Amino acid sequence: MKKWVNIFTAGILATSVWASPIFAADSSHQVTKEESSTVSQPYGDMVNHWATDNVTKWSHRCVVSGVENARFEPNRPITRSEWAALLNRAFQIQPGQAASFTDVNKDDWFASTVTDAVYAGYMKGFEDGSFRPTQVLSREEAAVTVNQLLQIPSSDTNKTFKDSTSLHNWSRKAVNAVVAAGIIEGYQNGTFQPQKSLTRAEAVTILDRAVNHFGTWYGESGTYGPSTGLDKQAGSVIINTTGVTLQNTEIAGDLIIGKAVGNGDVFLKNVKVHGQTYVYGGGEHSVHLNNSVLVSIIVNKVDGTVRLVAEGATSISEVKIKTGAALDVSQGASVDRVTLTNELPAKSNVSLTGYFHTVNVEAFAINVNIPNGQIDTLNVADNAMGTTIDTAKESSILSLVLNAAAKVIGLGSVDKAVVNAENVSFQTKPKSLTNGDMVSSDVKVTIGDSAKTLGLQGPTTSGGGGGGSSSNSNESDNYKKDDKKDNTPQTPHNNSGDFKISVPKKVVAVGEAVYFTSPRDGIAYFSNKIIDIESITSLELGVESGEVQKIEVKANETVSFSTYAINNYEYPRNFEFNLTVYDKNSNYESEDITVLDENQTIVEYPLFIHYLAWENELDQFSFDYNRLITLNKGKSTNDIVQWAVGEGPYLPFTEKDGEVEVKDNLVLISPKNMENRVKYKFRLVAGAVVTSNGEINREFHAEGNRKTVRITMVQPSGRAFQVKKGEGITFSLSDISTVYLLNSFVWGSNSDYDDLIAENWGKKIEVKDDEVDKPVTISTSNLPSGKYKLDVLEGEKLDLEIVE
């Protein structure tokens, strides 16, 4: 076994910045702080300007900002790209498909702004293939974009301007519509001046009127809507901050839970929405829907997972999920249909808790977790290959139709399964399993560890559940356990007898359950690596604080821990966990678990970990990433790692030097031989590995690693021993190092150890260069009796006991 040490981590235009997405409020909602007369305007050149109020309002809403020296430059013309940026952020425009223009480069600050505006349909390019992002925006262009965005109906009465004949045909209807709606006005001299450039002040004023026309905006925490009765909103409603409660309200248009909600909470109580409900923000603690009626919810939070909890008499006709989400309708609410759309990125995680009538999976290679509840019908579409359906013991699926290769894991029950594709596997055998009309009568399905042939005669009657799964899929499976050996270094453990936890899958995605079986009755803990697993007190404190999960386990019964509450946003170590089981005699066994968030960007600097060899094993090293990785195309394991011995140059780490393996999120290095008293440097070349979405690694160096420092006992002898209180312990080391004598329950950094020694809780000795391979002695004087350890810095650890 090994222990590990040595962790190594490692254009917006200045003249026009349009900040976070926010909406304006109409006159019907409660006055907020930002709209009160006490808010000061922040720009020196806006004093007594006609647009001061609107500019001040939108500045405090963080939608627009000025330029250097506290100026706004209200009379400077706005460009087409700047106008697009303003509307995108104000109207919550989501990222769209890439658009190509001759004058827009991918590195331009406005590249994504232009793409999103064009994808949303309110702006477009020119016939020559250009977008003209730096060209100033004309008033008639502004009218067209606003009209396209708001879809304002044509007016029966058209206002005539003195210069109406100068309107282009393509803008005439739009100008009439926005003028009739009061969003854009003409000048006092009776002209509209359609080709005149739009100023920054005019742009903010038009924006203010446009969003007022669209609906009601809530941007401060608080409760909105009457305490009794019903408030009817004729337009749409936008909630764009956390901590908002909307109650007793009927919305004729759409409801938007905006991006600025971030990871916060929103509460809807007795709210009825006739249009669409868009969820662009909200955290893993939830968007709460209580006694509300919603026709269609579209979940599209670009960064992170949002959790929706429907309670009481809430009724939802359909939920369309475009990004990772958790739906909880276990408190009596009803959802007729859930669609996991093909816009969900591969490896996305969706959790469904409670009762659902129909669930349709259209996305490729996603993970569907069903921790509790019932789904009447679950359909996996033919383009949803690679789907993993993770069912907990407390869940059930009445009818499951698999039109694509998929894995059904876990202990949940499936009443009836219809297989319409090759490469389908089940961990637990369905009650009824038949082939559909899209496959041959002899299609094979894997149940447990055995492949069974389905036939027209009806459901299979053999096969077993539990204990892992296998698949005939041709796709790469990073989790297969049929390798000759598992090279992943394990956590040191302290057990008695035959105590080995069975964990079929030790690397999982966020949202995927961790299943395991213990051979003994006991208590299981799921904790981050920073928690001391050798201390039940530390684990229990973690349980109390919510940082550690705890369940009771029975011998040989498969149970699981959920990973939906895990946030993998802080690097470097929060994707590394321990699954630890203590038996009734306080013996424990632990397994390393890795929980990866496949929605993250691959980190620039991985962890570099040195696994110190125990006894006669060899040292190992690894570059640990926060994503699943595979060997990049055109690369081989012989040319992705280089090493330098001592002060020598970097050379390829070839087969004669040892083995390199790319496994899960690791590049694992196993040297065949390392010399004592020599430092080794390792380098991972750029582009060595690639993630599922095509991201590659950067070059990374790790320096100053030595072979495990070995300890050889002289007196007493052996690997675990007793010594009388006050006597010395004599040993030799294979290299220079520091040796600590401390209580066996103590864990921490070198500075933690030094602090304890300064307080007379232990001893230490420095083995210098001329003392290597020679006997040295560490004293036990003044130490109380009990269990101790000799812990060598970058080396072995021996257990001992000081006795009276």
Side-chain angles (χ1 to χ4, degrees):
M1 304 301 290
K2 298 179 173 64
K3 64 179 180 179
W4 52 265
V5 296
N6 297 355
I7 298 178
F8 293 86
T9 59
I12 298 176
L13 292 180
T15 55
S16 180
V17 181
W18 306 95
S20 65
I22 285 296
F23 268 82
D26 65 15
S27 58
S28 65
H29 97 275
Q30 302 170 28
V31 176
T32 65
K33 294 178 182 177
E34 66 177 14
E35 293 168 327
S36 71
S37 60
T38 62
V39 175
S40 62
Q41 67 87 10
Y43 308 113
D45 58 354
M46 290 302 299
V47 177
N48 297 324
H49 193 282
W50 60 269
T52 295
D53 290 344
N54 285 330
V55 170
T56 300
K57 183 200 311 184
W58 286 92
S59 293
H60 282 281
R61 290 174 177 174
C62 300
V63 175
V64 301
S65 64
V67 296
E68 58 186 3
N69 299 323
R71 293 178 298 111
F72 185 75
E73 297 186 358
N75 300 320
R76 179 172 62 78
I78 189 171
T79 66
R80 284 169 50 82
S81 58
E82 290 171 342
W83 177 242
L86 177 59
L87 293 183
N88 282 356
R89 288 163 177 154
F91 282 92
Q92 305 278 330
I93 302 302
Q94 293 293 85
Q97 297 175 355
S100 178
F101 295 102
T102 59
D103 53 356
V104 178
N105 298 317
K106 65 178 182 179
D107 295 329
D108 292 331
W109 73 265
F110 48 72
S112 60
T113 294
V114 168
T115 291
D116 297 346
V118 171
Y119 183 71
Y122 72 83
M123 292 188 80
K124 61 183 180 179
F126 295 87
E127 293 180 356
D128 61 359
S130 67
F131 185 83
R132 304 177 193 176
T134 59
Q135 178 177 294
V136 296
L137 184 81
S138 68
R139 285 168 52 80
E140 63 181 340
E141 282 181 307
V144 171
T145 56
V146 170
N147 188 56
Q148 285 290 105
L149 195 58
L150 298 181
Q151 295 293 301
I152 302 171
S154 300
S155 175
D156 294 333
T157 58
N158 296 331
K159 182 172 178 61
T160 301
F161 295 101
K162 293 180 179 180
D163 55 353
S164 292
T165 56
S166 63
L167 287 167
H168 288 98
N169 289 332
W170 51 263
S171 70
R172 192 174 302 276
K173 289 184 178 180
V175 169
N176 288 331
V178 297
V179 168
I183 297 173
I184 300 181
E185 298 176 346
Y187 292 93
Q188 292 182 351
N189 63 2
T191 64
F192 185 79
Q193 301 184 36
Q195 283 81 48
K196 182 180 178 182
S197 60
L198 193 71
T199 68
R200 284 164 58 86
E202 289 175 324
V204 176
T205 300
I206 291 172
L207 171 72
D208 184 66
R209 294 170 180 167
V211 292
N212 279 328
H213 183 276
F214 182 76
T216 302
W217 174 85
Y218 300 124
E220 283 199 347
S221 301
T223 299
Y224 299 86
S227 56
T228 59
L230 187 67
D231 179 30
K232 294 189 176 183
Q233 297 282 353
S236 297
V237 169
I238 305 93
I239 298 173
N240 208 46
T241 191
T242 183
V244 168
T245 297
L246 181 62
Q247 63 185 15
N248 300 323
T249 301
E250 184 174 356
I251 302 169
D254 298 333
L255 169 64
I256 298 176
I257 297 175
K259 302 173 189 176
V261 172
N263 292 319
D265 296 346
V266 168
F267 299 84
L268 305 182
K269 298 180 180 180
N270 191 29
V271 173
K272 184 174 183 179
V273 182
H274 291 272
Q276 307 270 20
T277 298
Y278 297 92
V279 180
Y280 298 150
E284 297 186 0
H285 288 287
S286 316
V287 174
H288 297 264
L289 314 173
N290 192 291
N291 296 326
S292 296
V293 179
L294 301 99
V295 177
S296 177
I297 298 177
I298 299 172
V299 179
N300 193 10
K301 185 184 179 186
V302 176
D303 53 343
T305 297
V306 62
R307 178 170 175 256
L308 275 72
V309 177
E311 304 167 303
T314 295
S315 173
I316 304 169
S317 297
E318 181 177 28
V319 180
K320 295 180 180 179
I321 298 178
K322 298 184 177 183
T323 54
L327 305 185
D328 186 342
V329 294
S330 58
Q331 303 300 316
S334 64
V335 177
D336 187 55
R337 182 171 64 256
V338 176
T339 301
L340 311 185
T341 71
N342 57 16
E343 295 176 63
L344 269 164
K347 303 298 182 182
S348 293
N349 298 293
V350 176
S351 173
L352 304 174
T353 302
Y355 172 74
F356 301 89
H357 183 267
T358 301
V359 175
N360 297 316
V361 181
E362 299 175 351
F364 170 76
I366 65 168
N367 301 311
V368 183
N369 182 271
I370 310 170
N372 194 297
Q374 176 181 304
I375 298 175
D376 288 349
T377 302
L378 196 160
N379 301 307
V380 177
D382 55 7
N383 60 336
M385 295 81 71
T387 296
T388 298
I389 302 170
D390 192 345
T391 62
K393 188 175 181 180
E394 297 77 14
S395 68
S396 64
I397 304 172
L398 300 186
S399 176
L400 174 62
V401 181
L402 300 169
N403 294 317
K407 296 179 183 179
V408 183
I409 63 176
L411 305 179
S413 67
V414 177
D415 283 12
K416 177 182 179 182
V418 179
V419 176
N420 267 318
E422 300 282 350
N423 302 321
V424 168
S425 67
F426 294 86
Q427 180 175 334
T428 301
K429 183 171 69 68
K431 297 176 182 177
S432 170
L433 179 60
T434 60
N435 59 295
D437 55 11
M438 296 169 60
V439 292
S440 62
S441 60
D442 61 348
V443 62
K444 290 186 176 181
V445 173
T446 300
I447 303 174
D449 294 320
S450 303
K452 303 298 179 182
T453 301
L454 296 183
L456 295 176
Q457 70 272 16
T460 59
T461 57
S462 60
S469 62
S470 60
S471 173
N472 296 323
S473 174
N474 292 324
E475 66 181 351
S476 174
D477 186 350
N478 286 314
Y479 306 125
K480 286 184 178 179
K481 294 301 178 186
D482 56 358
D483 301 334
K484 293 181 179 179
K485 66 176 182 176
D486 184 355
N487 287 324
T488 305
Q490 301 296 313
T491 302
H493 63 281
N494 172 29
N495 61 48
S496 173
D498 184 18
F499 190 5
K500 179 68 175 176
I501 307 171
S502 173
V503 186
K505 193 171 178 180
K506 298 178 184 178
V507 180
V508 300
V510 172
E512 190 175 356
V514 178
Y515 290 90
F516 66 99
T517 306
S518 168
R520 304 180 185 179
D521 292 347
I523 302 295
Y525 299 91
F526 191 65
S527 59
N528 193 286
K529 280 277 190 181
I530 63 175
I531 304 291
D532 180 9
I533 63 172
E534 296 196 352
S535 168
I536 292 181
T537 300
S538 295
L539 290 167
E540 288 293 339
L541 287 173
V543 173
E544 291 180 15
S545 66
E547 299 175 62
V548 176
Q549 296 183 54
K550 172 185 175 182
I551 58 173
E552 184 175 348
V553 296
K554 294 184 178 180
N556 303 315
E557 181 176 301
T558 300
V559 291
S560 66
F561 281 113
S562 171
T563 64
Y564 267 94
I566 292 173
N567 296 318
N568 281 354
Y569 301 116
E570 294 181 5
Y571 194 72
R573 286 183 55 191
N574 66 327
F575 60 81
E576 297 177 334
F577 292 81
N578 286 121
L579 194 166
T580 308
V581 177
Y582 273 86
D583 68 12
K584 61 183 179 181
N585 295 320
S586 296
N587 297 307
Y588 75 89
E589 171 67 3
S590 185
E591 291 286 350
D592 292 341
I593 304 296
T594 300
V595 185
L596 302 174
D597 187 346
E598 288 296 287
N599 292 319
Q600 284 189 352
T601 298
I602 189 172
V603 293
E604 182 176 355
Y605 305 114
L607 299 179
F608 183 78
I609 295 181
H610 180 186
Y611 300 93
L612 302 178
W614 292 78
E615 297 182 357
N616 296 320
E617 297 181 5
L618 297 176
D619 289 22
Q620 289 181 309
F621 304 85
S622 67
F623 296 96
D624 290 25
Y625 281 95
N626 64 327
R627 291 283 304 277
L628 289 172
I629 53 176
T630 55
L631 192 66
N632 201 0
K633 186 177 181 181
K635 297 288 186 180
S636 71
T637 54
N638 289 333
D639 58 18
I640 64 173
V641 171
Q642 300 170 354
W643 71 336
V645 181
E647 299 302 320
Y650 276 105
L651 298 172
F653 187 89
T654 62
E655 289 183 5
K656 69 178 179 63
D657 300 311
E659 180 183 2
V660 174
E661 181 183 8
V662 179
K663 181 176 182 179
D664 297 325
N665 65 314
L666 310 178
V667 177
L668 189 65
I669 307 166
S670 303
K672 290 181 178 178
N673 184 43
M674 294 180 70
E675 299 179 13
N676 290 322
R677 309 184 73 176
V678 175
K679 288 191 176 182
Y680 294 83
K681 297 182 289 186
F682 291 90
R683 178 163 66 191
L684 183 65
V685 304
V689 294
V690 62
T691 65
S692 59
N693 63 338
E695 294 181 275
I696 61 174
N697 69 291
R698 294 190 179 186
E699 183 176 288
F700 181 73
H701 303 249
E703 300 184 2
N705 299 278
R706 297 184 294 162
K707 181 180 178 180
T708 299
V709 181
R710 301 292 183 183
I711 182 170
T712 301
M713 290 302 304
V714 177
Q715 181 67 35
S717 60
R719 308 297 295 179
F721 53 87
Q722 289 184 338
V723 60
K724 289 185 178 180
K725 186 176 177 180
E727 291 185 353
I729 303 170
T730 303
F731 55 89
S732 65
L733 295 187
S734 63
D735 203 344
I736 62 172
S737 190
T738 302
V739 182
Y740 293 93
L741 175 60
L742 291 164
N743 290 96
S744 59
F745 63 83
V746 171
W747 290 95
S749 65
N750 297 340
S751 61
D752 294 329
Y753 283 7
D754 289 336
D755 290 342
L756 289 169
I757 289 168
E759 297 172 5
N760 297 317
W761 288 100
K763 304 281 187 175
K764 84 171 181 178
I765 185 173
E766 301 279 352
V767 176
K768 300 177 181 178
D769 190 70
D770 59 353
E771 297 175 313
V772 172
D773 291 327
K774 296 180 181 179
V776 293
T777 301
I778 190 169
S779 173
T780 65
S781 62
N782 301 320
L783 294 179
S785 59
K787 293 185 181 295
Y788 285 78
K789 62 182 177 181
L790 278 178
D791 200 341
V792 181
L793 183 62
E794 293 188 78
E796 293 184 288
K797 177 177 74 69
L798 298 186
D799 294 319
L800 65 118
E801 185 176 8
I802 298 177
V803 296
E804 295 291 343

